[in-house]
Amino acid sequence: MTATEAVAASTRQPPPESRESIRVRQLVILSFWAIVVFLGLPTWLWTTSIHRARLPLQQMMSWAEGRLCKPSFPLQIVVEAPMLEENDVLRVIQATQHALDDQNDFPLHHLRLRIGSSHVSSNSSQIDKSSEDITQLQQEALTITLVPQNGLTAARAELQTQSASLDILYPPHLAPPTSSASFPLASFIATQLQDLFAEERALISRTVRANPASTSGQSAVGPGQSSVVSTNPAAGDKDQRIGNIQAPSPELAARLASRTTRTLRYAPTYHITISLFSPSGWPSSWDIESAISEYLAPLLRSTSIISGFTVDTQTQLYARFSPSVREPEYDASRGVWVLREGDLSGFINAAEWPLSPSIGAGPTLNFIIYVPDRSTSPLVIGESQASSWLIPQWGGVVILNPPFSARPNETQAAGLSKEDIRPALLVFSHQLLSFLGAPQSSSSIPLQLQTLTRVRAVSLLLSASATMGSLARLTVALPSIAIPETVSRAVDVTLEHLEKTCNALKDGRFATALQNAKIAETAAERGFFEKSMVGQVYFPDEHKVAVYLPLLGPVGVPLIMSALKEIRRIWTRRRSKKEIS
C-alpha cells in the first residue's frame, strides 16, 4: 500500500446512516424519556409525596397564647345556720362576702357564699329560679355551719376531717346585729376561709404563671403562608388578668417547695406495690387483701377521678436492709432500738429487694413495710422516734413494730392481721396524697381531693394548650414533615375538650372539667408524638440526596447524554442544509 492510499484509508468516514436507522434511534431515545416522564416521574412523586392534613393552626396558637380561655374558679360555699333566722343568715353572708371580696388578691379564684337550702322558703325572693338552676350545676366546695355555743369568749373553727364541712362555734353575743352591715363574726369567717384556701390559691397562681404558653411572642411564618403566631396581645396584661397575689408566707412557701420535689408527674394510671420485708422467717402470712379493701381502697376510689390505680403485693423473708446501714443501737432509757437518721438514705437494699420500677403500665409507687427482727424490736428512727419516712417521687417506708404478744414461738406459725397492718396503710394513704400533690394545710381529705381536682384540671388544660402551640409551630417550621389524618383528628378532639374544660371551670363543675382536661391532654400527647410524623424529623433532604443519587446517576447520565447528542446532531444537520441552500 502506497503512502497516498494509507492516508486516504485513515481519513475514510463510515458510511452514512440510513434514514430508517436514524428514525429507530430517535424512537428508542424518545421511548425511554416517555417512560421516565409519563410513568417514572409520576410514580416517584406519588410514592414519595408527603401527606399533610389540614390543621387549625390559628386556633391552636390562640389556645396556646391563652386568648380563647381565661380559667376561673368560682367556689360555692354553703352557709347553714339552724339557730338563726333567714334574714340574719343573709346578713352574715352579705357581710362575709364583702370581706372576702376586699381580701381577694387573686381574681381567678373567688369564693361565693350562698344560703343553705334549709333556709330558703318557697316564696323567697332572694334567690330566683335561674340562679338556683346554675347553682345546682356547681359543686359545693364547703359547707359552713354556724353553731352558737354558751361559755365561749371568742369564735373558733372546727374543720371536719371526713367531710367538706367547717363548723363555726361562736358565743351568742357575736350574733349578727340588726343595725350594722359588718360585725366580728363575718370577719372571722372570712379570715378562716382565706386561710383554708390560701394554699390552693398559691398552687393555682403558680400553675398559671408558670404556663410557658403565656409568654409567646414569636412569629412562625411558613413559605408562602401568612403569619400564624404573632405577638400575643393577651400576654401584656397577663399580670392584670391573673392579679397581683401577695407573696406566700414562709411556711406556705416551704410547703409549696416540698410539694414540687415530691409530687409525681401526672399519669392516667399509677401502679402501687406494697412489699413486706422481714430479716427473719416471721411473719409467714399477712391479711393484706382485707386490709387494703378496708383501709386503702376507699381512698383509691375517691381519687379515681384524678388517676387510676392498680395494686399488687409481695413478701420477702430473710431480707435485711442495706449492708451500708449501721446496726441499730439500743437506747436503754427509752427501751427502743434506734436507727440513725443519716442511714435512711441507704436503708433500701436495692441489690436484694425485688423493687422493680417498671411494674405495671404507669409510674410505680413502692410502699414498704419492714418488720424488724424480735431482737431489735421496737425499732424507731433517731430522736424523733418516728417509724416512717417518705422518699420523694419513689414511695414510702414504714417500720412496723407489732406487739410482742403477736410474735410466734418456735413451733407456732403466726402472721399479721389486718389490724396489725392498719397503721402502715394509714401512713401510706397520707403519703399517696402527698405524691399526688394534695395540699398539706387542710386536714379534711374531701377538701384535699377537691383542691387536687381543680389544680389538676387547670394544669392539664394549660399543658394541652401548650402542646397545641408546639405542634402548630412544628408544622410551620418543618414543611416537609408528614401530618397524617390521625394527628388532625387528635387535634380536633383536643380543641373540643379544651373548650369543654374551660366552660366547666367557669361554671364551677370541676369534676367535669378534670375529665375533659384528661381527654384533651391524652389526645394532645397522642397527636404530638405520632410515630409516622416524628420519623420524618430525622429524615432531612440531605438524606434523600444520598439515597437517590447513587440510583438515578447511572440511569440518568446515559439518557441525558444520548438526548443531548441527538439534539446536537439534528441542529448540526439543519445548519448544514441552510449553508448549502
Side-chain angles (χ1 to χ4, degrees):
M1 180 182 295
T2 63
T4 304
E5 292 177 348
V7 172
S10 62
T11 58
R12 187 179 302 168
Q13 297 294 329
E17 292 182 284
S18 64
R19 186 181 299 273
E20 185 65 24
S21 62
I22 294 175
R23 181 172 175 274
V24 170
R25 186 177 66 249
Q26 291 177 348
L27 290 177
V28 169
I29 295 175
L30 183 61
S31 63
F32 273 107
W33 275 103
I35 293 174
V36 170
V37 173
F38 296 106
L39 181 61
L41 188 60
T43 303
W44 175 73
L45 291 177
W46 178 67
T47 55
T48 60
S49 62
I50 299 175
H51 176 69
R52 290 174 62 87
R54 296 183 61 86
L55 299 179
L57 300 180
Q58 190 63 48
Q59 187 178 2
M60 293 165 64
M61 288 310 307
S62 297
W63 275 104
E65 295 171 357
R67 288 183 290 172
L68 296 183
C69 179
K70 177 185 176 182
S72 60
F73 305 86
L75 274 63
Q76 294 296 317
I77 311 295
V78 178
V79 179
E80 298 281 358
M83 305 302 293
L84 295 178
E85 297 292 335
E86 180 179 342
N87 292 333
D88 294 336
V89 179
L90 291 175
R91 285 205 305 273
V92 172
I93 293 176
Q94 183 178 4
T96 306
Q97 187 68 66
H98 182 72
L100 287 173
D101 294 340
D102 292 341
Q103 298 176 19
N104 188 18
D105 55 358
F106 186 46
L108 300 185
H109 185 279
H110 42 88
L111 307 178
R112 290 292 175 260
L113 304 182
R114 66 178 178 87
I115 192 171
S117 58
S118 60
H119 290 280
V120 180
S121 59
S122 58
N123 58 352
S124 175
S125 60
Q126 301 295 333
I127 303 177
D128 57 14
K129 186 66 171 62
S130 60
S131 62
E132 288 181 0
D133 294 338
I134 295 176
T135 303
Q136 289 176 357
L137 296 175
Q138 297 175 335
Q139 179 182 3
E140 296 177 359
L142 182 67
T143 299
I144 298 178
T145 304
L146 303 180
V147 181
Q149 186 170 341
N150 295 323
L152 294 179
T153 58
R156 76 168 189 265
E158 295 181 356
L159 182 63
Q160 305 297 320
T161 59
Q162 300 300 323
S163 63
S165 302
L166 179 66
D167 295 338
I168 302 295
L169 308 179
Y170 65 94
H173 69 270
L174 291 182
T178 58
S179 60
S180 176
S182 62
F183 42 89
L185 182 59
S187 301
F188 175 80
I189 298 174
T191 302
Q192 291 296 320
L193 291 176
Q194 288 290 333
D195 294 341
L196 187 60
F197 292 99
E199 186 171 356
E200 178 178 331
R201 291 197 307 273
L203 287 174
I204 294 177
S205 174
R206 172 177 290 192
T207 302
V208 174
R209 291 179 184 275
N211 177 29
S214 301
T215 58
S216 62
Q218 308 175 17
S219 177
V221 182
Q225 300 180 10
S226 59
S227 176
V228 173
V229 184
S230 58
T231 301
N232 181 10
D237 58 345
K238 178 185 176 184
D239 291 335
Q240 181 180 359
R241 293 184 289 109
I242 296 177
N244 297 319
I245 187 171
Q246 297 179 357
S249 62
E251 181 182 358
L252 179 56
R255 286 201 299 265
L256 294 177
S258 63
R259 178 186 184 274
T260 303
T261 59
R262 70 172 180 270
T263 302
L264 290 170
R265 179 180 174 83
Y266 170 77
T269 303
Y270 296 97
H271 183 76
I272 297 177
T273 298
I274 302 178
S275 305
L276 174 66
F277 296 114
S278 174
S280 64
W282 189 91
S284 59
S285 63
W286 58 329
D287 194 7
I288 187 62
E289 293 184 1
S290 299
I292 291 176
S293 177
E294 184 168 348
Y295 304 122
L296 186 61
L299 177 63
L300 298 182
R301 286 193 294 267
S302 300
T303 56
S304 60
I305 186 177
I306 301 169
S307 294
F309 294 91
T310 59
V311 182
D312 71 349
T313 62
Q314 62 178 350
T315 305
Q316 182 167 336
L317 304 179
Y318 301 101
R320 301 189 61 85
F321 46 74
S322 177
S324 62
V325 178
R326 291 171 292 182
E327 291 295 329
E329 296 180 353
Y330 184 70
D331 188 345
S333 62
R334 294 181 291 174
V336 297
W337 291 85
V338 178
L339 184 67
R340 298 170 184 83
E341 295 184 1
D343 293 335
L344 297 183
S345 59
F347 183 85
I348 304 297
N349 191 350
E352 299 181 8
W353 293 1
L355 298 171
S356 175
S358 59
I359 298 177
T364 299
L365 284 173
N366 292 280
F367 291 127
I368 297 176
I369 300 177
Y370 183 80
V371 181
D373 187 69
R374 182 174 187 177
S375 60
T376 58
S377 180
L379 181 63
V380 298
I381 302 171
E383 296 296 330
S384 64
Q385 298 193 40
S387 60
S388 64
W389 68 95
L390 183 146
I391 304 175
Q393 300 187 12
W394 188 85
V397 181
V398 171
I399 299 176
L400 185 60
N401 295 294
F404 283 108
S405 59
R407 297 284 184 166
N409 53 35
E410 295 181 357
T411 60
Q412 178 187 8
L416 292 174
S417 65
K418 68 176 182 180
E419 294 299 330
D420 296 329
I421 307 173
R422 177 178 179 273
L425 293 187
L426 293 181
V427 172
F428 292 155
S429 298
H430 290 287
Q431 292 178 347
L432 177 60
L433 290 175
S434 299
F435 287 127
L436 294 179
Q440 305 176 29
S441 58
S442 174
S443 60
S444 173
I445 294 180
L447 281 183
Q448 292 180 1
L449 296 179
Q450 288 185 27
T451 297
L452 191 56
T453 299
R454 290 186 281 269
V455 173
R456 286 293 194 193
V458 69
S459 63
L460 293 179
L461 169 69
L462 298 177
S463 176
S465 300
T467 303
M468 288 292 97
S470 300
L471 180 58
R473 288 187 289 270
L474 179 67
T475 301
V476 176
L478 299 176
S480 61
I481 193 173
I483 303 178
E485 292 296 333
T486 54
V487 175
S488 178
R489 289 192 294 268
V491 169
D492 293 338
V493 172
T494 301
L495 297 180
E496 176 186 357
H497 285 86
L498 283 177
E499 184 176 359
K500 291 181 178 180
T501 301
C502 187
N503 295 333
L505 287 177
K506 293 178 180 179
D507 295 339
R509 297 178 287 113
F510 303 114
T512 303
L514 178 58
Q515 293 296 333
N516 286 286
K518 291 165 62 176
I519 297 175
E521 172 70 5
T522 302
E525 293 292 322
R526 183 174 64 251
F528 188 82
F529 293 104
E530 170 66 32
K531 294 181 180 179
S532 60
M533 183 176 67
V534 174
Q536 292 291 332
V537 178
Y538 304 101
F539 196 71
D541 294 337
E542 291 81 0
H543 288 190
K544 297 178 183 178
V545 173
V547 171
Y548 289 125
L549 191 59
L551 299 176
L552 299 181
V555 177
V557 170
L559 287 176
I560 295 175
M561 295 304 297
S562 60
L564 292 177
K565 184 177 180 180
E566 187 64 24
I567 293 174
R568 180 181 178 184
R569 191 193 64 80
I570 295 175
W571 180 75
T572 302
R573 182 179 178 183
R574 289 184 177 181
R575 190 179 65 175
S576 300
K577 288 182 178 181
K578 289 182 180 180
E579 291 177 354
I580 295 175
S581 61

